[in-house]
Amino acid sequence: MHDERRRIEERVERLHNQRIKPAIYAATVPLTVESWQAPGEPVPFAEAAGAPYEPFAMNTPWGPPWGTTWFRMRGQVPADWAGRRVEAVIDLGFVGDWPGNQAEALVHLADGTPLKAVNPQNQYVPIAHPAAGGEPVDYLVEAASNPDILANDFAEPTPLGDVRTAGDKPLYTFRRADLAILDEAVWHLSLDVQVLHELMLELGEHDPRRHEIMHALDRAMDALDLDDISGTAADARAVLRPVLARPAHASAHTLSAVGHAHIDSAWLWPIRETKRKTSRTFSNVTALAEEYDEFVFACSQAQQYEWVRDNHPQVWERIKKAVADGSWAPVGGMWVEADGNLPGGEAMARQLIHGKRFFMEHFGIETKGVWLPDSFGYTAAYPQLARLAGNEWFLTQKISWNQTNKFPHHTFWWEGIDGTRVFTHFPPVDTYNAEFSGKEMAHAVRNYQDKGRGTRSLAPFGHGDGGGGPTREMLERARRLADLEGSAKVRIEHPDAFFAAARAEYPDAPVWVGELYLELHRATYTTQARTKQGNRRSEHRLREAELWATTAALHAPGYAYPYERLDRLWKTVLLHQFHDILPGSSIAWVHREAEAEYARVAQELEALTREALAALGTGEARAFNTSPFDRHEVVRSADGETTVVQVPANGSAPLDNTPTPDMVIVTDRTLDNGLVRVTVADDGTLASVRDLRAHREVLAGPGNLLRLHTDLPNYWDAWDIDKHYRNRCTDLLDADSITIVERDPLLGALKIERSFGRGSKITQTITLRSGSPRIDIETEIDWHEAEKILKAAFPVDLRAPHSSAEIQFGHVQRPTHTNTSWESARFEVSGHRWVHIGEPGYGVAVLNDSTYGHDVTRTVREDGGTTTTVALSLVRAPRVPDPEADQGRHRFTYALLPGATVEDAIAQGYALNLPLRVADSAGAPEPVVSVAGEGVTVEAVKLADDRSGDVVVRLYESRGGRATGVLRTGFPLAGAQVTDLLERPLGAADLDGEGAVRVELRPFQILTLRLARS
């Protein structure tokens, strides 16, 4: 037989695109359109309904960036369309085919009922099926003219990312607003041809099935009369029916499909636009569920449900009905799909607590899995947190983006730092926006790493990132692919059903231990430093407010614990931990608003803390310690005097002016407190840090060396730092001035000022305090660089085989060598409050109060010694998607801690981030809880969420070893229970008979205790 593949394939493609698809709508009549441009921000429907409208013609430009235009569309179904399927078809002037980053609209009935959204992949609004003829059409359409931030493929900066800089030139040209007849025979033929043509192209050239499909398609094209596509579509379908009926092989892979609409809570649009995106998408989904009985839609992010409930109650009622009917599946159990590395431990717990509670309260459903498809790596603390929140499974697909190494599994057990395991799946389709294309189906099968053991994988389908969700075309394709020879079998089902089946067939799946490190998007640990600082400070202020509010509730008559205010503030912080806000990968508008929100949160939490302390009464000045460790520190009183205080963990103590023997001696370039001696070089770097206790020099080169690297990644500017950044850098060695700014017996400080680059300035104050080896480097940067990254390097005279970095509820160790490609790929990593390096008998920690990104490298010197260098990433200057990212002023502190154990790093990490607070108080209430036992660390103290008055304490083993301890309360204890994260009882705690709780913890175990007051 002659090879006619090329002729047939080209014929099918042309006829489908140029004849069949244009015939899907058999007849059209235009709607009459009027418009009203809303001034400023979006307005409610009632205001738009009463606005003055003016005639609007097709092919007219409309929509300034970030504007809202309301269109009134009116018409009547022609009488002779009776019995046909009639729809409205609206084309706002869509650009390309991605629904999420351009014009989109929500269609309302005249009474304000949200009907359905339109976007480039979903332009229809159903009117009648079948039509009677004569039906009136009267719509109000809220159209958003959101700019295409992705234009030119992120190649150039754009001012469109902020309403303040975007201008007012119309972005779109309205193309179409018609009533139309959907020719169902042609539409179904189009879908038949698409599915078979795409399947054919993925089959091997010697596969008989490929040739069978090819010739069937050729015969189907013969059956079409090109002058009467509608009249002959059924004939063409009849030709294709036998090849569509051929069942899949018995061993065919099963694709468990679930509808999805990934909606970034902010990214290339502000939060206010996401609120509208959710209503648009959810309107589409609930409409689709009424048409397709088999449809199941998985939706995460409780915050987005709450927005719809508050802004579009009619859509909310439709969601509740869909949940009750089984077509809508709440998943994920988190407040938002948060970044997987940067939120603190307690914040990550609250993500799960608030999310799961929302779904339980409003739907009576407890979600069973963590649904986090698009975060930029995942902390090794996740398995334990997931299980403690009652979850059984974990899903993501982002690791498929790895730059260097292909992850070896798609279905596996993920083991966290404490040994907890959670059943985990990466969809091998490698997207959460599947469409059931032939390429996707074939890729999922070829890519699946667990062939021979597992036979199924998950495929989330639907347009996403900016929403949109599944379409009827996707569901029709799924029907054709349910049991089709040559393809994987598609089964639409709830994610819980998939995970149950996958685990049942593969209970002994392989185990992956430790973090799920994404070998890409490493700059998200650093970009938009003020956003990250706002998060870190908010987390610690929330801890502080809860502790002292609990103290006041226990000891101050008449004080009311601020449940509602704390709940609201927590949810604000949790929202901004979304995986495109906290990582710094959003447009300027998002980060501008985030900084303002963090400032408001800080102000309110400061007020809450002051109110709680004031409720305890006024009297002598006291120091209040929010950290879980006893503190012996220098503080400054309200009148500016320095003093040394000894303050218990979670407690307070009066200011004490008792001098200590180790005074601080300050000379022109030296700070010495008897524990360490710090010498500053003429260029402003640390020339020497001498540990006087260990009689050794800490540094192996200039310390606090500020290095300015060229930083232009290959593609994702705000997201990525590529390894070639190391190849070009400038050391900032020209100090403008070095001055003594503190010469107090209890503390000394030197200030170094530098100017560099494009008018940037750095002022650093190096402070040493009495009684502490910690060297603080308070930093203020006025930053005006472009496409640069600034790092602070500390070369230490240590041969450290690994570094340890704090993560949520523990720490991870990472090798300092690069023996394998996996280790080499970790050239930039994340950590929280501290990084520690050490060799037997000696260690050094680098602490910070707001940075996350860092690298640790190791070299061998000519003298045979080893230098291990910790370099903190301080600030970047990407230009896409925010051309002004990180520009302006930054203030933060990092510190060097010589002679530090991991335990020292933990304690001082808390201390740096939770400075002692000096305030007046009449009394000295006992700490709410105190713990005796090395490694048992208190992370949160609060009142129970059910308002019972019980005290909830969350603690964990922080060193990485077994720990035993005793927890005592500052109030009469009636009983104690161990609970899960949601404060539900798991069993009785171990009481010692003397009003204390005995605690035994495995390495890095998290324990939540509920303490009843007598």
Side-chain angles (χ1 to χ4, degrees), residues 396-397 399-400 402 405-415 423-428 430 447-451 453 456-457 506 508-513 516 822:
T396 184
Q397 66 84 43
I399 302 299
S400 68
N402 270 6
N405 297 284
K406 183 177 177 62
F407 198 81
H409 315 297
H410 281 106
T411 301
F412 59 99
W413 289 95
W414 181 19
E415 182 178 309
F423 195 72
T424 301
H425 181 69
F426 294 172
D430 282 350
N447 189 41
Y448 184 54
Q449 295 284 89
D450 300 281
K451 297 181 187 73
R453 303 297 303 278
R456 65 189 68 234
S457 64
Y506 201 12
D508 58 343
V511 177
W512 181 269
V513 179
L516 294 174
W822 294 87

Side-chain angles (χ1 to χ4, degrees), residues 100 355 419 619 714 956 976-977:
N714 290 345
Y956 70 106
Q977 287 184 319

Side-chain angles (χ1 to χ4, degrees), residues 108-125:
H108 302 75
L109 296 175
D111 64 1
T113 302
L115 190 58
K116 185 180 173 296
V118 291
N119 62 52
Q121 298 279 13
N122 210 332
Q123 298 183 24
Y124 74 97
V125 180

